[in-house]
């Protein structure tokens, strides 16, 4: 059986990142949140756009005021006032100053701002009481960014700060990767939708909903194929359709060793290459990963147990989906935490235990979810934001000890 790290390595090697030329679309800034830039964005404006004042005060010529102090103040004639948004009309000569406000453009002839706290104003005269530094409180044109260079790199995800940068640079049409299409199939004769009345023996298909939400949270487009019965012929038709229509297929159920577990066999019949058939992980051991010669689809056959399904998605599908989306250098995030409870495992497989991570006095503490940690119990999975990892070979991490925890976004 493959280790978790081996399986992760194989999966990442199989990922075919979307093409930065073919797999793109243009979105406007309003709709860019969460999208991933396909190419570098080159701005056409310097930032700051022009020399401007960082403070309220007076724009002066440094040479006029460089030697002044409270004991030998210097008087300057205030010949104009410039507010933010004004375009200065006058040029400032020696012994003159301009009243200026934060963000306003520096007038010609000036090079330094004296803050108003260091001045006394009487009529058209301002008395400078302290020598500023040369160019003090001047934000120079292009000091933070020069037009013509990349302002944002391809492969970054657009969040609030990137939106601010793009807005400032007046980059309103953006080339982003299309969202990956992810087909979701729930296999199992026992499954019904949440709307259907439950008959004895039936189980509600929670995976379809969980996985569609997971995909959407990770920037993909979920394509719901619904419930597929455990009948090889029908299952094969669905799987073929899914493979042909998606970048990634996620099927749940039918990958174990039971009599009705047909997925692996069907994938082989469809000329799939099975790269992974099981992983030494708990929950989620019977994970199947396949690719197909005829198209670029990456297939994940995920165990049906609802907890196994989500843990498999977090641990294995998420890095693949994120990388495939064009996101540069996506990595799962791990922290070291102190566990508040004993963490038990059988020792043969890398074991993921769900619960909540809290910051207490600057340290992470992991609180194991209460109740059963059976892979069939999805009830206590709610509010999970971390998975504590018990490595292979360990059977107990005692309360108060350190544990590695994977963060769930
Ligand atoms: P399987 O992997 O098909 O052997 O299923 C393992 C367990 O997960 C069984 O108890 C199934 O009833 C349950 N299960 C399978 N698929 C789903 C699903 N889509 N939603 C909820 N439970 C499921
Ligand atoms: Mg099944």
């Amino acid at each position: 059986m493959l280790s978790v790290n081996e399986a992760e390595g194989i999966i990442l090697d199989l990922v075919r990142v979307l093409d930065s030329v073919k797999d793109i679309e243009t979105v406007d800034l309003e709709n860019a949140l969460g999208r991933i830039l396909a190419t570098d964005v080159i701005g056409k404006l310097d930032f700051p756009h022009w020399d401007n004042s960082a403070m309220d005060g007076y724009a002066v010529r440094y040479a006029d005021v460089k030697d002044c102090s409270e004991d030998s103040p210097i008087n300057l004639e205030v010949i104009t006032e410039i507010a933010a948004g004004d375009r200065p009309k006058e040029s400032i000569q020696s012994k003159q100053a301009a009243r200026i406000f934060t963000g306003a453009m520096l007038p010609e002839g000036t090079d330094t701002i004296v803050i108003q706290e260091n001045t006394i104003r009487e009529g058209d005269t301002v008395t400078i009481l302290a020598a500023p530094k040369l160019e003090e409180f001047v934000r120079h044109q292009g000091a933070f960014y020069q037009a013509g260079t990349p302002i944002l790199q391809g492969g970054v995800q657009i969040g609030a700060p990137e939106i601010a940068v793009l807005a400032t640079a007046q980059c309103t049409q953006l080339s982003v990767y299309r969202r990956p299409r992810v087909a979701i199939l729930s296999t199992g004769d026992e499954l019904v939708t949440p709307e259907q009345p439950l008959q004895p023996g039936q189980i509600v298909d929670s995976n379809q909903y969980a996985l569609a939400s997971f995909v959407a949270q990770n920037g993909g487009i979920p394509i719901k194929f619904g419930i597929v019965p455990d009948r090889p012929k029908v299952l094969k038709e669905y799987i073929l359709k899914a493979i042909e229509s998606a970048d990634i297929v996620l099927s749940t159920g039918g990958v174990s060793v039971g009599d009705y577990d047909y997925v692996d066999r069907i994938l082989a019949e469809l000329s799939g290459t099975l790269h992974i058939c099981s992983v030494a992980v708990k929950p989620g051991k019977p994970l199947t990963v396949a690719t197909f010669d005829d198209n670029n689809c990456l297939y994940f056959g995920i165990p049906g147990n609802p907890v196994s399904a989500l843990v498999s998605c977090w641990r294995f599908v998420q890095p693949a989906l994120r990388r495939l989306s064009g996101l540069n250098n996506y990595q799962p995030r791990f922290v070291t935490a102190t566990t508040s409870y004993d963490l038990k495992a059988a020792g043969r497989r890398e074991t993921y235990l769900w619960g909540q991570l809290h910051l207490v006095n600057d340290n992470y503490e992991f609180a194991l979810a209460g109740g059963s940690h059976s892979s069939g119990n999805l009830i206590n999975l709610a509010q999970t934001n971390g998975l504590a990892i018990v490595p292979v070979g360990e059977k107990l991490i005692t309360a108060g000890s350190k544990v590695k925890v994977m963060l769930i976004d």
Side-chain angles (χ1 to χ4, degrees), residues 308-336:
S308 311
L310 266 178
V311 171
S312 303
C313 283
W314 286 325
R315 188 64 190 88
F316 297 112
V317 180
Q318 190 163 352
L321 175 54
R322 289 302 209 162
R323 293 254 183 119
L324 185 143
S325 308
L327 195 61
N328 272 348
N329 305 322
Y330 175 84
Q331 299 266 4
R333 290 181 301 148
F334 300 94
V335 297
T336 302

Side-chain angles (χ1 to χ4, degrees), residues 187-188 190 230 253-254 260-261:
T187 77
E190 73 279 31
D230 290 319
Y260 299 94
D261 294 331

Side-chain angles (χ1 to χ4, degrees), residues 16-95:
R16 297 282 161 266
V17 179
L18 292 179
D19 190 287
S20 65
V21 176
K22 279 184 272 170
D23 293 316
I24 59 166
E25 53 197 37
T26 303
V27 292
D28 53 28
L29 195 55
E30 298 283 324
N31 296 309
L33 186 66
R35 304 303 297 270
I36 296 158
L37 288 172
T39 50
D40 293 356
V41 176
I42 312 284
K44 295 198 186 80
L45 299 170
D46 287 337
F47 189 75
H49 306 316
W50 31 70
D51 293 354
N52 71 85
S53 175
M55 300 295 265
D56 296 322
Y58 293 86
V60 301
R61 301 165 75 103
Y62 176 71
D64 286 347
V65 296
K66 67 181 179 17
D67 297 322
C68 75
S69 67
E70 220 164 334
D71 297 334
S72 60
I74 283 178
N75 289 341
L76 302 175
E77 183 195 1
V78 181
I79 65 156
T80 186
E81 177 175 302
I82 309 155
D86 287 350
R87 182 183 189 147
K89 291 174 206 72
E90 266 92 359
S91 166
I92 304 301
Q93 310 300 318
S94 181
K95 304 283 182 264

